[in-house]
Amino acid sequence: MPPLLTLEEPGSPAGRPRPQWAAFTEMGFRPLYLAGCFWALVSVWLWVHAPGRITGLLGGVFWHAHEMLWGFVATIAVGFLLTAGANWTGKNPLRGNALAGLCGLWVVARAGYLVPGRTAFLIAVVADLAFFVWGAAALGRAVWVTRNRRNAGVPVLLLGLAATNALYLWAAVQGDYLALMRYFNAGLLCMAVLTLLIARRVIPFFAKRAVAGLEIPPHTRSGHWQLGTGIAAIVCLLAGQPRIAALALAATGVIAMVQWLSWKPWAVRGVPLLWILYAGYGGLAIGLLVGAAHLGGYVSRAAWPAHAIGVAGFSVLILGMVTRTALGHLGRPLRTDRSMVASYVLMLLAAALRLAALLPTVASIGLLHASTAAWVLALGLYLWRFFPLMIRPRADAAPAAASGLRVVPVARQT
């Protein structure tokens, strides 16, 4: 009888390299992928099953929305960008104790939002904003020093996430629900524009490398239009022009859907590392169209665009990204085992159940709990599979390290 899970560890457990602090803090993806996924698991479980433990000043649904966007999704983005930035520029933006300090700010922010009292809240806010500003500054410095003009706008988008975060927190303290929703949606769109910018580059690259003979158009011009319409949607939303923002957002979603179709999704059906990324990009495109319908007054509940973009889009795409990019940068074969595929299926199930739970039926609570279970299992499988790898040296560095040779990691295309 074949084993349920097939794991591919190099050598015997006795010969496996020991955990190393230097390896764990080598690049941004190692601590931040683990931290973001762990927090996504814990915070959703708290929100659904133990909301009474959320006792901070930023409570209830405001805390849940904030932690999902800035505590989970944006954290993974920072980890990805600090790692990809080393490839783009040839200079690692942050590593070692400096990276550990950045992660320390993140931990203080997460804990501070749970502790009651204004002092804890203010400490959390300062740490949270410092996390994003420091990450943007480190990436910006690498871009500036190497004159990498192509990626000059990426640190600015990270600063946009920090700015919308600050505005959201201010509106929450003031009790201004309308402003809070406007700033949350602006932050959601900042993250969407950043995600589209990254995904449009890396998904076709990954696909062409993995599928022999697959040709995908670059979509450079449509990408420029997409970036423009996405930024226009954010500006119009902050300026209090939801109808114009809806048109710009609809254009952004349509361009994303056209790109997705041109990437030949049927051609990647046999490659889990690809079809999960395609599923997430398609979910994001649909989510943007739902968001446009909401801004245009055709969808009344704000929960629909938030969950369509955030769960069916970001979360599915993230699980694929944190698997594919981690395998590459850890020196591992670019193939999945059963635990990885199981986590993909569970995340897709969690997204479908969460959207179904938004429907006004007697089954809503049951669907929410089922979605939470699938979510926790999906992220739990990822953490179980990748934590032992993240705290050890790269697989292709192990033989040299064992012989006493100094290993210089080679940057991989992200």
Side-chain angles (χ1 to χ4, degrees), residues 48-392:
V48 174
H49 294 294
R53 296 186 179 274
I54 305 169
T55 57
L57 194 64
L58 185 68
V61 69
F62 300 154
W63 175 87
H64 173 59
H66 180 272
E67 292 305 280
M68 282 293 94
L69 179 54
W70 286 284
F72 166 45
V73 177
T75 296
I76 298 296
V78 172
F80 174 87
L81 291 172
L82 289 177
T83 304
N87 290 332
W88 297 339
T89 66
K91 180 179 178 64
N92 192 342
L94 217 55
R95 66 185 305 172
N97 289 335
L99 177 59
L102 182 76
C103 296
L105 288 174
W106 182 88
V107 172
V108 169
R110 306 286 72 79
Y113 288 130
L114 288 174
V115 176
R118 191 174 185 85
T119 301
F121 176 76
L122 291 175
I123 292 173
V125 169
V126 171
D128 206 13
L129 297 180
F131 170 80
F132 288 107
V133 172
W134 190 357
L139 183 60
R141 181 178 180 277
V143 169
W144 172 262
V145 168
T146 59
R147 300 295 188 268
N148 190 267
R149 295 181 180 178
R150 186 188 181 200
N151 297 294
V154 177
V156 177
L157 286 172
L158 272 183
L159 289 176
L161 278 172
T164 52
N165 188 8
L167 291 170
Y168 178 91
L169 293 167
W170 174 256
V173 170
Q174 298 299 310
D176 188 342
Y177 178 75
L178 291 178
L180 182 142
M181 288 307 302
R182 183 165 67 251
Y183 298 140
F184 174 79
N185 287 332
L188 196 70
L189 295 187
C190 274
M191 190 64 245
V193 170
L194 184 59
T195 302
L196 291 169
L197 180 64
I198 295 169
R200 187 179 61 81
R201 294 181 184 181
V202 301
I203 294 178
F205 174 79
F206 292 161
K208 287 191 289 186
R209 289 192 66 181
V211 180
L214 181 63
E215 292 296 328
I216 296 176
H219 281 293
T220 303
R221 181 171 296 180
S222 74
H224 292 160
W225 279 103
Q226 188 180 55
L227 181 62
T229 56
I231 292 174
I234 297 169
V235 172
C236 292
L237 186 61
L238 291 173
Q241 299 293 328
R243 297 285 180 172
I244 302 177
L247 293 175
L249 191 57
T252 307
V254 168
I255 293 172
M257 186 56 67
V258 171
Q259 292 168 346
W260 183 82
L261 290 170
S262 75
W263 293 346
K264 304 177 178 66
W266 185 250
V268 305
R269 64 190 183 280
V271 187
L273 281 175
L274 291 176
W275 60 245
I276 188 65
L277 295 175
Y278 273 64
Y281 197 85
L284 179 56
I286 294 171
L288 292 174
L289 296 176
V290 174
H294 171 67
L295 291 175
Y298 300 104
V299 174
S300 58
R301 290 189 65 187
W304 274 105
H307 287 89
I309 294 173
V311 184
F314 292 153
S315 299
V316 173
L317 196 53
I318 279 173
L319 192 56
M321 278 290 189
V322 297
T323 304
R324 170 57 173 80
T325 57
L327 287 173
H329 285 285
L330 290 169
R332 297 272 166 170
L334 296 178
R335 57 176 181 265
T336 53
D337 61 21
R338 293 182 184 179
S339 72
M340 298 176 198
V341 176
S343 70
Y344 297 166
V345 174
L346 286 165
M347 182 57 76
L348 291 172
L349 179 62
L353 291 171
R354 186 63 189 93
L355 292 175
L358 294 176
L359 298 171
T361 67
V362 295
S364 293
I365 298 299
L367 290 169
L368 176 62
H369 288 176
S371 174
T372 302
W375 173 274
V376 168
L377 287 171
L379 293 170
L381 275 174
Y382 175 80
L383 293 168
W384 172 76
R385 185 65 181 91
F386 278 86
F387 178 79
L389 308 180
M390 297 288 207
I391 60 177
R392 290 178 168 85

